[in-house]
Amino acid sequence: MQFGYSETCLAHDTGDRHPETADRLRAIRRALASRHGVSYVEADPVDESDVVAVHDPDYVAEINEFCEDGGGNWDPDTVASADTWDAALASAGLSQWAARAAVEGAEGRETPFALGRPPGHHAVEDDAMGFCFVNNAAVAARTLLDDPEAEVERAVIFDWDVHHGNGTQDIFYDQEDVLYASIHEKGLYPGTGEIDETGTGDSAGTTLNVPLAAGAGDEDYLLVVEELLRPVVEAYDPDLFIVSAGFDAHRHDPISRMRVSTEGYALLTDRVRSLTDDVGAALAFVLEGGYGLDTLSEGVATVHETFDGREPMEPDGDPEDKTVEIAEDVRDAHDIGG
C-alpha cells in the first residue's frame, strides 16, 4: 500500500496520559518496517478553504486562534497544543491525498491509506470533540465531489471505528451525494448512531447505522458488511469509497468492549475490497482511532498485508443472535431485501 504520512502530525501534543498520542503513528511505522511493499507519501496540508467546505468558518477561526494562543483543553477529552492546528491541516491533507490518489487510479498494492492524526470523525460542523478537530474523511470526500475533473458524483464513507462518527454523520446528514455507514458499539461515546438515524429530506436513506452490542466479534462484523452494507452500497453506486479505519473494536483495545481480532480486520478489508471492485468505486483508507499500540499497529499492518496478497482466514463461528436481531431492524429501517 501507499501510506500518507507527515512528521507534522507528531507535533500535536496531548500530554502524557492522553490515549491519542504521537506514539500511535510511531508504532504503526515500526510495524510496517518489516512488511514488504510499503511506500510513504508526504502530501501537502489541506487549504483552509477546503476545511470550511465542511466546517463553519467561525469555528475554524476560533480553533486556529486557540492553538496560536498555546492550546489547552478544548473540552475534557479534546486537548490542543500550539502545533495542533498545523497537525490537523496536515492530517486532513493526507486524507485528501488518499482520496484523490484512489480516484486517479491507485489500487491493488498501491491502494492509499492516510496515516494522520489528530483523527477526525467526531469533529462536527462547528465544534471539535472526541480528540478530533477537522473531519478528515469529510474534507477528503467533499474535495473530490466538488472537483469536476475528478468525476465523482457520489461517495461512501464507511466507518468501522468502535465509536460512532457523529461528526461525519452530522456534516452529511442532509446531503444526497455522501452515504455514511457506521458499525459501532451501542451506547459508547458519543451516544449517537441509532438505527432510525437514516438521513433527512431528499437524503433519507443515506445514513446507515448499525449499533452492535458489546462483545460483537468477527462474525458479527462480517454479517453487517455482507448483508447490510453491501446491498445498500450496491444500490447507491458510489464513485469513491473511503474507509474511516479505526482499530479500537479490537478485542484487546483498552477503551472498548468489542471482540474483533486482528484477522477480523483482514477479513473486513477483503470484504470492502471485493465490494468496491464490484461497484467500480475508488478505495481509500483514513486512520481514525485505535489506542492499544500493538493492536493498532498490527491492524494497520494486516490491512496492508491483505492488499499485498495474504489471504485472510475465515472465522469458524456464527454471528450472535442479538446481532441477527439488530440486522433485521436495520433491514426494516432501510427496506433492505433478504
Side-chain angles (χ1 to χ4, degrees):
M1 297 185 83
Q2 300 183 79
F3 289 94
Y5 177 80
S6 173
E7 293 285 319
T8 303
C9 293
L10 300 179
H12 167 50
D13 185 1
T14 56
D16 294 336
R17 298 185 178 182
H18 200 281
E20 202 294 290
T21 72
D23 286 341
R24 298 174 66 238
L25 297 188
R26 296 187 183 105
I28 292 169
R29 289 285 298 250
R30 287 195 298 271
L32 293 174
S34 61
R35 267 66 177 191
H36 173 267
V38 174
S39 62
Y40 290 98
V41 174
E42 181 167 1
D44 292 331
V46 71
D47 290 332
E48 285 197 14
S49 60
D50 292 329
V51 177
V52 298
V54 298
H55 288 288
D56 183 88
D58 290 339
Y59 159 68
V60 172
E62 184 180 4
I63 191 64
N64 193 349
E65 182 178 355
F66 185 75
C67 295
E68 286 181 349
D69 290 342
N73 282 79
W74 181 267
D75 65 28
D77 298 313
T78 310
V79 181
S81 65
D83 296 313
T84 292
W85 186 242
D86 287 342
L89 295 179
S91 186
L94 293 170
S95 300
Q96 194 178 57
W97 158 79
R100 188 174 296 283
V103 168
E104 291 178 351
E107 60 182 1
R109 285 181 165 87
E110 298 300 311
T111 299
F113 194 140
L115 297 178
R117 65 177 289 271
H121 71 153
H122 293 308
V124 296
E125 183 179 1
D126 60 356
D127 203 4
M129 59 182 293
F131 314 163
C132 304
F133 297 89
V134 173
N135 196 303
N136 301 316
V139 168
R142 180 47 59 201
T143 297
L144 274 296
L145 287 162
D146 289 349
D147 180 357
E149 294 184 3
E151 298 183 343
V152 174
E153 295 183 2
R154 288 176 299 279
V156 168
I157 299 175
F158 171 44
D159 193 333
W160 75 36
D161 191 282
V162 77
H163 304 93
H164 179 245
N166 60 302
T168 314
Q169 175 173 301
D170 175 76
I171 289 167
F172 295 119
Y173 202 63
D174 60 354
Q175 299 181 32
E176 297 177 79
D177 54 3
V178 175
L179 169 67
Y180 175 69
S182 175
I183 308 176
H184 50 275
E185 182 180 331
K186 182 177 177 61
L188 202 62
Y189 179 92
T192 52
E194 296 297 329
I195 292 171
D196 61 2
E197 297 169 15
T198 61
T200 187
D202 292 338
S203 68
T206 62
T207 295
L208 174 70
N209 283 315
V210 187
L212 296 180
D218 298 351
E219 297 87 351
D220 304 285
Y221 274 67
L222 293 179
L223 179 148
V224 172
V225 171
E226 293 165 353
E227 298 189 13
L228 301 177
L229 180 69
R230 173 174 275 276
V232 170
V233 170
E234 287 176 340
Y236 191 68
D237 191 23
D239 306 296
L240 171 64
F241 191 110
I242 298 171
V243 179
S244 275
F247 294 86
D248 40 7
H250 195 283
R251 61 185 59 180
H252 297 308
D253 189 273
I255 64 172
S256 83
R257 300 170 294 172
M258 292 308 217
R259 300 288 299 166
V260 178
S261 69
T262 300
E263 194 67 16
Y265 286 109
L267 290 161
L268 285 172
T269 301
D270 181 65
R271 298 301 198 272
V272 165
R273 177 178 57 183
S274 175
L275 174 55
T276 55
D277 284 348
D278 289 346
V279 300
L283 174 61
F285 291 75
V286 172
L287 183 65
E288 296 289 356
Y291 304 101
L293 296 184
D294 290 340
T295 54
L296 167 64
S297 57
E298 288 303 311
V300 174
T302 203
V303 172
H304 164 72
E305 289 175 347
T306 304
F307 279 98
D308 200 42
R310 177 183 175 275
E311 291 287 337
M313 295 182 292
E314 296 294 327
D316 295 328
D318 296 314
E320 297 286 338
D321 289 343
K322 52 193 170 185
T323 300
V324 174
E325 294 171 3
I326 291 166
E328 287 298 327
D329 292 339
V330 175
R331 285 192 187 95
D332 291 343
H334 286 268
D335 195 25
I336 299 170

